[in-house]
Amino acid sequence: MDSIYLVVALGTIVAGFVQGLSGFAFGLVALSFWAWVLDPKLAATLSVFGALTGQLLAAFTVRRGFNLKALLPFVLGGLAGIPLGVYLLPMLDMNWLKAILGTLLVLWCPAMLLSRQLPRVTAGGRAADGVVGFAGGIMGGLGGFTGTLPTLWCTLRGYERDVQRSIVQNFNLSMLLVTMGTYVGTGIVTREMLPMFAIVAPAMLIPTLLGTRLYIGISDQRFRQIVLSLLTVSGIALLASSLPVLLGWR
């Protein structure tokens, strides 16, 4: 049991730093550690709780504006998607989810990283933003992955660093608040999980703050490189934790 607590704390520390730096990806990074030792439902719940804690810290330390016009389609779509994600959580094979998401990230993000002159995606307007928000809401309900698809979409849109951070940070905060409230209201959060919550909250405090301080000093180009690299590494970690199970290796 002590080793499980250690893995939970280590995953929290690394994921907290990454979230502080990039504004997202707590769940992706943390689950690359936790998937080996935790029950999927517990891992999903801790992921939502940790990501929400990090977003609350970021709300007070990294303020990058609030553009309601740009944010609203994402939020409305996300609010529609969260109930579906929460509904699917008990019946979904988490390994298949991680394999599909990991494959998407591993194939797409390096291509974006290597293409310096990638054209911006301008089609779809607010409707497309809403669809991405809806998908982000579903992913949030499944385990706190709210920021992955909106971050990828904002990168495709070619948004500047602070604009992207503003959209993703505010979207994540609102979606995670609703998701956590839904988890509590539907009984997904249990008393047995509380000791793990007590590990996650303090373990991510300093790493998250360090990540936010580093974010302030980087350029738009460097931020884009960091985000895409983190998404690629997260995809590899998701595949590493899911493929052995799906292929019957363990």
Side-chain angles (χ1 to χ4, degrees), residues 3 81 93 150 168 182 188 206 209 217 227 245 248:
S3 62
D93 187 326
V168 172
T182 305
I188 291 176
I206 294 178
L209 294 176
V227 166
V245 177

Side-chain angles (χ1 to χ4, degrees), residues 92-107 139 149 235 238-239 242-243 246:
L92 186 72
D93 187 326
M94 191 60 69
N95 288 305
W96 275 110
L97 173 65
K98 290 188 290 185
I100 293 171
L101 183 58
T103 300
L104 171 66
L105 296 177
V106 166
L107 293 178
M139 298 300 293
L149 296 179
L238 289 172
L239 290 175
S242 60
L243 287 182
L246 295 174

